[in-house]
Amino acid sequence: MKVTAEAARRFLVARHFLAPARSLAGLDGVLEVFRRLGSIQFDPVAVAGRNHDLVLHARVAGYEPAWCEELYDRRELFETTNKALSLIPTSEFPWFRVNWGRKGPSFHGTALAENAAAAERVLERIRAEGPLSSADFERESGPTKDWFGLPENAVRAVLEAYTVTGVVGLARREGNLRYYDLLERLLPAKVLAHEVPEREQLRHKLLSRYRAHGLLGAGGAGGTFARIADPADRNALRKELLELGALVPVEVEGVRGKRLVVADELALLEEPPEPAPTVAFVAPFDSLLWDTALLAGLFGFEYVWEGFFPPAKRRWGYYVLPILFGDRLVGRIEPRIDRERARVEVLGVWWEDGIAPGRVDGLVEAMRDALGAYLRFAGADGVDWAPHLAKEKRLFRAGA
């Protein structure tokens, strides 16, 4: 199957519920996003809103962070590792039992073996007392090392290892503090009783990455297919998905190599709707942004996450959200939520070459609407614009 670049762009924004933006509603809308994308990356940084909340805010009208927390409390969502720390529908948990975690299965197995006494104490207390966090234990030293080769808190190491091995799971978060409980006390018995062969689990995980993005190639980008299996095994799993008809190869005009589309979405790819002239602020780890080479080739947009860069090397900013207008990425915005003052601070706005908002039909009105929606999401009553953004303040203040 061959498609034009325009059709591919329209397909992507439509299947991501981003054109029109904020087109879904309520808790059912949140669950619809999870049904389509399969998983949403979790990141605790909340300067502009946490990543999963921003992903949902862009797609669900009136979204409030409490909605996702409510679904988690109702055990309709569950936290696991899928590419990165992610939220998934609880109904899919049986396909995520095989878990490499952030550091690989051998690391976590070794952490439990090297810290056996601490592991036993931690598990006994959770059994007796219910959900506990690492802060509920005295710090213990052990042979396990962190990313930087420094001694890691043994309690933290075994809690993470128990999570990867399916002994405990996340019960709740209080800020960035994670509370763990026994898995059998967190998930419905019916879900826990559902056993899925390991090979089928791995295929499902690989398919989940194609579900999350919509138009990935075989190689992926930015660790897209990390934490599933070794590269050779992933190639075999991908071949199985093609033979089963779960994925279909397509060629996109101007894009090198074949792309793979979830079979159920072929009809949408063949006849994607004309995108509505709405604006969405796209979260930094939104799955739409995973393949930066595709963004450059299909949207003409260079995307680089600069959060890990030293300030002097940033061209844009620390926590910057791409601006999607219809099926075009037209710029970037760097908002901050000041919760004490109930204000949103806009530190920067960068427009793509050739984009003058006042001269693009519908863009000013769409930006005003998006800013108004973002204020409601942030619980803020107004915007403070950086001094150099006088033009943007004048253009968009009616919506904010």
Side-chain angles (χ1 to χ4, degrees), residues 99-159:
N99 194 340
W100 279 31
R102 296 181 303 133
K103 303 169 185 175
S106 62
F107 178 92
H108 297 295
T110 301
L112 289 174
E114 291 179 340
N115 304 283
E120 184 176 353
R121 286 193 295 273
V122 166
L123 199 56
E124 283 302 314
R125 279 196 60 187
I126 291 175
R127 283 198 184 103
E129 301 175 36
L132 296 174
S133 77
S134 60
D136 293 311
F137 298 86
E138 292 291 331
R139 181 184 176 90
E140 297 192 34
S141 296
T144 307
K145 301 293 192 298
D146 65 15
W147 290 107
F148 307 102
L150 300 174
E152 185 171 14
N153 181 357
V155 171
R156 188 182 300 275
V158 300
L159 282 170

Side-chain angles (χ1 to χ4, degrees), residues 247-270:
L247 292 175
V248 178
V250 300
E251 293 182 9
V252 180
E253 173 192 20
V255 176
R256 291 181 61 185
K258 288 185 173 63
R259 295 275 151 174
L260 301 177
V261 176
V262 177
D264 293 344
E265 298 182 0
L266 275 181
L268 180 61
L269 179 59
E270 290 174 340

Side-chain angles (χ1 to χ4, degrees), residues 188-204:
K190 182 179 179 181
V191 170
L192 288 172
H194 188 179
E195 297 286 344
V196 176
E198 182 173 330
R199 189 73 180 178
E200 188 177 335
Q201 291 186 52
L202 295 175
R203 275 202 308 266
H204 183 88

Side-chain angles (χ1 to χ4, degrees), residues 180-218:
Y180 301 86
D181 201 357
L182 299 178
L183 206 59
E184 59 262 32
R185 296 202 288 233
L186 295 177
L187 294 178
K190 182 179 179 181
V191 170
L192 288 172
H194 188 179
E195 297 286 344
V196 176
E198 182 173 330
R199 189 73 180 178
E200 188 177 335
Q201 291 186 52
L202 295 175
R203 275 202 308 266
H204 183 88
K205 279 193 173 184
L206 186 63
L207 181 62
S208 76
R209 312 296 166 87
Y210 288 98
R211 289 169 61 193
H213 183 272
L215 204 59
L216 285 174

